[in-house]
Amino acid sequence: MSSIPWQDRPENSKDVMWRYSENPIINRYAIPSSNSIFNSAVVPFGDGYAGVFRCDNKAVQMNIFAGFSKNGIDWEINHEPIVMQSGNTDMIESAYKYDPRVVWIEDRYWITWCNGYNGPTIGIGYTFDFKEFFQCENAFLPFNRNGVLFPQKINGKYAMLSRPSDNGHTPFGDIWISYSPDMKYWGEHRLVMKPSPFEQSAWQCTKVGAGPIPILTNEGWLMIYHGVINTCNGFRYAMGSALLDIDSPDKVKYRTQPYLLGPAEIYEMVGDVPNVVFPCAALHDTEEDKLAVYYGAADTAVAIAFGKLSEVIQFTKDNSL
């Protein structure tokens, strides 16, 4: 695998996370059909990286596309959307697909996304090579979003975070965890985290949702998440972090009171949906103490932010609700 994307902290910056100076790394018109490309997933693959990208076309039909990169910054995205074959089911109906996550577990890359089946729910699929893709049973009943798998089994079972919701852009949302013996049947649903009280941490007082695949650390599972406040100008999305118990990840050990990164640059504040920082993927290098988080900017483009893994963990502990 190539060294993960990285840029040193800017001089005089004391922020725990900082933006890539050449953001956004993928613009809205990176493929001929696209209106916007954002909220996308990236994983190490071969001697570089592969990704699954949310590309809304100029009819604003939502779908997912495969892409490849040698360095994690410069991407070639396929011009046609992913075509699914039957995996563990013949029912692969999908009115739309958006906000994918990707993770390697055991012997294949698993993909989750918000799948349109009589409303939004969590779609699941897998690939071995990012050329052929296989769709499985939806994980849950509608309505649900932000399905995020853990990178390994927990107590012998697959585990997934999600955010039950309703059919619209809801003014509510909690993070839950569910377990499966076979990546088909899901149960043992447990509440993980609710929005914070307005008075304690207003940036995350309306809803919260899991972002990238959780990262296993000595301090617990590092979960990067988004939090939302409903302002007089609409929803505002920012990025926070939490540490979950290793063996019982429904238990939150620490959770950031201040956000790690909020919309402040023009490409985060101006776009199809203003004021959005929406993390969907993260690369990390424990030995080099590096963390790179990919996020959707204003529901329009893909950007990247960096941080020291140890500093993000310490910041989460030192600034916890």
Side-chain angles (χ1 to χ4, degrees), residues 52 139 171 235 241 275 302 315:
V52 177
F235 290 148
S241 58
N275 300 316
V302 176
F315 181 86

Side-chain angles (χ1 to χ4, degrees), residues 39-230:
N39 297 3
S40 301
V42 171
V43 288
F45 179 72
D47 61 353
Y49 301 92
V52 177
F53 297 86
R54 173 177 176 172
C55 302
D56 294 4
N57 67 19
K58 291 180 175 68
V60 194
Q61 294 172 299
M62 304 164 190
N63 216 326
I64 55 176
F65 293 63
F68 302 90
S69 174
K70 289 293 186 182
N71 60 11
I73 296 287
D74 303 299
W75 288 89
E76 294 184 4
I77 300 173
N78 294 345
H79 290 187
E80 297 297 325
I82 290 168
V83 175
M84 293 287 180
Q85 305 176 54
S86 293
N88 65 13
T89 179
D90 291 329
M91 202 296 293
I92 59 172
E93 181 179 334
S94 183
Y96 47 78
K97 298 181 179 74
Y98 63 81
D99 295 359
R101 275 77 162 182
V102 180
V103 61
W104 171 266
I105 307 176
E106 296 175 335
D107 64 347
R108 68 194 69 186
Y109 297 91
W110 288 95
I111 306 156
T112 55
W113 65 89
C114 185
N115 191 50
Y117 178 70
N118 298 290
T121 186
I122 305 302
I124 303 178
Y126 63 85
T127 183
F128 298 97
D129 56 9
F130 290 91
K131 295 177 181 178
E132 289 190 305
F133 294 83
F134 301 86
Q135 186 168 339
C136 299
E137 283 285 341
N138 293 324
F140 309 118
L141 292 168
F143 307 109
N144 206 316
R145 292 177 173 85
N146 298 303
V148 179
L149 289 163
F150 282 76
Q152 65 189 51
K153 290 181 177 178
I154 296 173
N155 300 318
K157 297 174 184 175
Y158 298 103
M160 188 195 306
L161 301 165
S162 69
R163 193 194 73 198
S165 60
D166 68 19
N167 203 29
H169 292 281
T170 55
F172 64 88
D174 306 330
I175 298 175
W176 289 70
I177 190 168
S178 304
Y179 296 92
S180 172
D182 57 4
M183 207 68 92
K184 185 172 184 177
Y185 299 103
W186 293 85
E188 298 179 78
H189 314 293
R190 302 289 185 268
L191 178 66
V192 177
M193 199 166 83
K194 299 177 73 68
S196 66
F198 176 88
E199 298 80 8
Q200 293 183 24
S201 185
W203 72 269
Q204 54 182 325
C205 69
T206 299
K207 52 185 171 179
V208 289
I213 304 305
I215 298 170
L216 183 59
T217 76
N218 292 333
E219 299 286 349
W221 290 102
L222 178 64
M223 178 182 71
I224 306 293
Y225 66 94
H226 66 261
V228 183
I229 179 174
N230 193 7

Side-chain angles (χ1 to χ4, degrees), residues 150 161 192-193 214 219-223 242-246 248-254:
F150 282 76
L161 301 165
V192 177
M193 199 166 83
E219 299 286 349
W221 290 102
L222 178 64
M223 178 182 71
L243 286 165
L244 311 179
D245 185 83
I246 291 176
S248 300
D250 58 309
K251 297 184 173 89
V252 179
K253 298 171 64 177
Y254 303 97

